[in-house]
Amino acid sequence: MADESGDPDPPGDAPGTGDDAEDDSARAAVRARLLERAPDPVRAKVAELVAIAVGHLPVIELPPPVRPVARFAPAKRARVGAGPLLAAVGSAEGFAARVVTWWTEEQPDRWRPDDAEPVHAAAVAVLEGREEGSGLVRDVTERADAGRARAERDAALARVEKLEAEVRRLTAERDEARAAVGSAGQESRDEIAKLRTRLREQGVRVRRAEDEAAELRAARERGEGGLRAELDELRRERDRGREAVAAAEARAGRAVEELAGVRRAALDARQADDARLALLVDTVAGAAEGLRRELGLRAGENGARPAELVGAGSGTMPKARVTDPAALDRLLALPEVHLLVDGYNVTKTGWPDLSLASQRERLVAAVAPLAARTGAETTLVFDGAGITGVPTHSVRGVRVLFSDPGVLADDLIRSLVGAEPAGRPLVVVTSDRAVVDSVRRRGAHPVPSSVLLHRLARI
C-alpha cells in the first residue's frame, strides 16, 4: 500500500522479510511484554483504539477470534470484546501493525495529538511496540497506584472512625449488661453467671478492638507524612492493613450479632419451651381423662384387680387400623388432638374434576363443621407451587397453610408433626405411602383420604 504522495509504506506497516521481519518480531515481543505489564486504564485504552480500527478493516484481514467482535456496535465493541481484541494484539501476527497503519493513515491527528494524555500515549506506545512505552506504562501505573493509595488511606481513616464508634457502642452495651447483672436477684443466679461469662468475652473483644483501633490510629499518624516519600512503604503495608481492618470489622460485627443472637435465642427458647410444656401438660391430662372415659373407668369404683387375673390368659391386641369413619371419630375424640390434612391428596381423591381453587374451597367448607363438632385443632396443608397469592379467606377453627416455593406439602406436614411435643395425639390424613411411613415413625396416626371423605359425607 502507498500513501497519497506515492511513497511506499514505512517498514513495519506490512509483513516483510529479512530486517523487516526481524523488526516486526522485536516489536511484537515488546508489544506483548508492555501489554502484559500495562495497568487496566492502559489496557482499556488499547482495546478502545483497536475496536475503532477493527470497524474499518476488512473482515478477511482480521484474526478469526476478532471477526465476531467486528460485528458489534462501536460502543459495545471495546466494552464486550476487550478480551479477544487484547489477545489478538498480543498474539496474532501482523494484526497490531494493521491497526497502527489504519490510524496513522486515516486519523493521524487523533493517533498522535499534541497534548496526548499519559494513558493515550502509553496505549499508542504499546500498539507500536516501542521500548519507550515501558516508561509511559510505568508512569501510568505509578499514578494509578498513588490514586489507589490515597483512596485506601481515606477508607482506612473512615474504618478507624467506624471502629472507634463501634468500640464506644460495645463499651456502652457492656456497661448496660454489667448494670443488668448487678440488679438481678437471687432467683437469676444461673442467668447472672451466663451474663458474666458473656461480659468477660465481650470485654476481651472490646480490648482487642481498642488495641486494633490504636494500631490503626498510629498507622494513620505515621501515614500523614509525605505521601510520595512513603509510597513504597504504604504499598507493602496495604495488604496487611486490609486484613487487619477486615478482621477487626468481622470480629466487631460477630460480637454484636452474637450478643443480639444470644438474647433472641434465650427469649425464643424460653417461649418455645413454655408453649411446648403447657401444651404437653394439657395433652397428657386430657389424654388421661379421655382414656379413662374410653375404658369406662371411674375413680373409686371396685373391680377386678391385676392379681386376680393372673392365669386367666392375657394378650396384647394389635391396634385397630383406621379403615372406617368410626375409628376416625374415636381418634378425634382424644383430648388436645391435632388433625393434619394433606389437602390436594384428599381433594384429588374426592373431587378430581374441579379446579384446584374449587377443590380447596370445597375441602375447607367440608372440614369446618367437623372441626367445630369435635373441637380438634385442624390444619389443611397445600402445595404452594403455582399460587401467585395466598388466599386471605379463612374459616373459623380451620388453619390453611401453603408450602413455600420449592417446598413440598409433604415436607411441611413432616415439619408440623416434628414440631409437636411427644405424647400429643396427632392424626394425619393422607394416602401418600412415604408420608404415612414417616409420620407413623414419629408417633402420628395415619388415616387414608377415603376415610375422611366418607366421614365428611355424613355431615
Side-chain angles (χ1 to χ4, degrees):
M1 180 183 294
D3 58 17
E4 295 178 355
S5 62
D7 295 334
D9 291 332
D13 289 349
T17 60
D19 295 339
D20 290 345
E22 293 178 359
D23 185 60
D24 290 343
S25 177
R27 287 178 180 272
V30 172
R31 185 183 302 113
R33 185 176 68 254
L34 293 179
L35 188 62
E36 180 180 0
R37 298 177 180 177
D40 291 341
V42 175
R43 292 172 64 87
K45 191 64 178 179
V46 170
E48 178 185 347
L49 295 174
V50 175
I52 295 173
V54 162
H56 298 83
L57 293 175
V59 176
I60 193 64
E61 296 181 5
L62 301 179
V66 178
R67 293 174 185 176
V69 179
R71 292 194 291 268
F72 293 166
K76 183 180 178 182
R77 194 179 298 141
R79 185 178 71 255
V80 178
L85 293 175
L86 293 177
V89 168
S91 61
E93 182 177 355
F95 175 63
R98 283 191 289 274
V99 171
V100 172
T101 299
W102 182 88
W103 274 104
T104 56
E105 291 180 354
E106 301 297 333
Q107 297 190 22
D109 294 338
R110 290 182 60 189
W111 180 249
R112 292 185 179 277
D114 296 336
D115 54 347
E117 296 180 352
V119 174
H120 181 88
V124 170
V126 169
L127 285 171
E128 292 180 347
R130 292 186 282 108
E131 285 291 349
E132 56 267 27
S134 299
L136 296 174
V137 170
R138 183 168 53 254
D139 182 62
V140 172
T141 302
E142 290 179 354
R143 289 172 181 267
D145 289 343
R148 284 195 298 271
R150 293 189 187 96
E152 290 166 2
R153 185 193 64 177
D154 295 339
L157 295 177
R159 286 195 292 270
V160 167
E161 295 176 357
K162 184 177 178 181
L163 279 175
E164 290 176 346
E166 188 69 16
V167 167
R168 290 193 296 271
R169 189 177 65 79
L170 290 174
T171 303
E173 289 186 359
R174 181 191 62 187
D175 295 339
E176 293 177 359
R178 285 177 176 172
V181 170
S183 62
Q186 283 297 113
E187 66 279 4
S188 302
R189 289 179 180 176
D190 294 340
E191 187 66 24
I192 290 174
K194 294 178 182 178
L195 285 174
R196 286 174 177 169
T197 301
R198 287 199 296 270
L199 280 173
R200 286 193 294 270
E201 295 174 354
Q202 192 70 18
V204 172
R205 296 189 185 95
V206 170
R207 286 193 294 273
R208 289 176 180 173
E210 290 175 345
D211 294 341
E212 292 171 359
E215 293 176 0
L216 290 174
R217 284 196 298 269
R220 180 191 63 186
E221 293 173 357
R222 291 192 301 270
E224 288 178 353
L227 179 61
R228 294 183 181 275
E230 298 182 1
L231 182 59
D232 293 337
E233 181 65 23
L234 285 175
R235 288 173 180 169
R236 290 191 294 270
E237 293 181 357
R238 177 181 57 196
D239 294 336
R240 295 196 298 269
R242 285 176 178 173
E243 295 176 358
V245 171
E249 290 177 345
R251 283 193 290 271
R254 287 196 298 270
V256 175
E257 293 175 358
E258 180 181 353
L259 182 59
V262 167
R263 291 173 177 171
R264 289 194 302 269
L267 181 59
D268 293 343
R270 171 170 289 182
Q271 292 175 348
D273 291 343
D274 291 347
R276 288 173 178 269
L277 182 59
L279 182 57
L280 181 58
V281 170
D282 294 342
T283 301
V284 172
E289 182 60 28
L291 183 61
R292 184 182 294 277
R293 290 198 305 269
E294 182 72 17
L295 298 178
L297 300 178
R298 297 292 182 269
E301 291 183 356
N302 295 325
R305 309 301 297 172
E308 298 173 0
L309 302 178
V310 174
S314 62
T316 302
M317 296 295 294
K319 294 182 179 179
R321 298 182 61 187
V322 181
T323 58
D324 56 74
L328 176 60
D329 287 339
R330 287 193 296 272
L331 289 176
L332 296 180
L334 295 175
E336 299 295 334
V337 66
H338 189 177
L339 174 63
L340 296 167
V341 181
D342 187 350
Y344 287 138
N345 190 279
V346 174
T347 60
K348 291 180 180 180
T349 301
W351 316 292
D353 297 333
L354 299 179
S355 65
L356 294 182
S358 299
Q359 290 180 19
R360 293 194 299 269
E361 294 176 358
R362 183 163 181 176
L363 181 60
V364 172
V367 170
L370 179 64
R373 183 174 300 177
T374 61
E377 179 182 353
T378 303
T379 302
L380 307 183
V381 181
F382 296 96
D383 278 320
I387 302 297
T388 57
V390 177
T392 57
H393 177 69
S394 61
V395 177
R396 182 180 180 85
V398 179
R399 181 188 299 111
V400 179
L401 297 179
F402 291 87
S403 62
D404 292 334
V407 179
L408 298 177
D410 297 349
D411 295 331
L412 180 55
I413 291 173
R414 294 186 182 98
S415 299
L416 291 171
V417 172
E420 295 289 352
R424 185 184 187 189
L426 301 176
V427 178
V428 179
V429 179
T430 183
S431 295
D432 190 314
R433 174 55 55 188
V435 178
V436 169
D437 293 341
S438 60
V439 299
R440 178 182 282 120
R441 286 195 299 268
R442 299 185 183 184
H445 300 275
V447 177
S449 297
S450 59
V451 173
L452 177 63
L453 289 170
H454 291 160
R455 179 63 183 83
L456 296 178
R458 292 164 39 191
I459 297 178

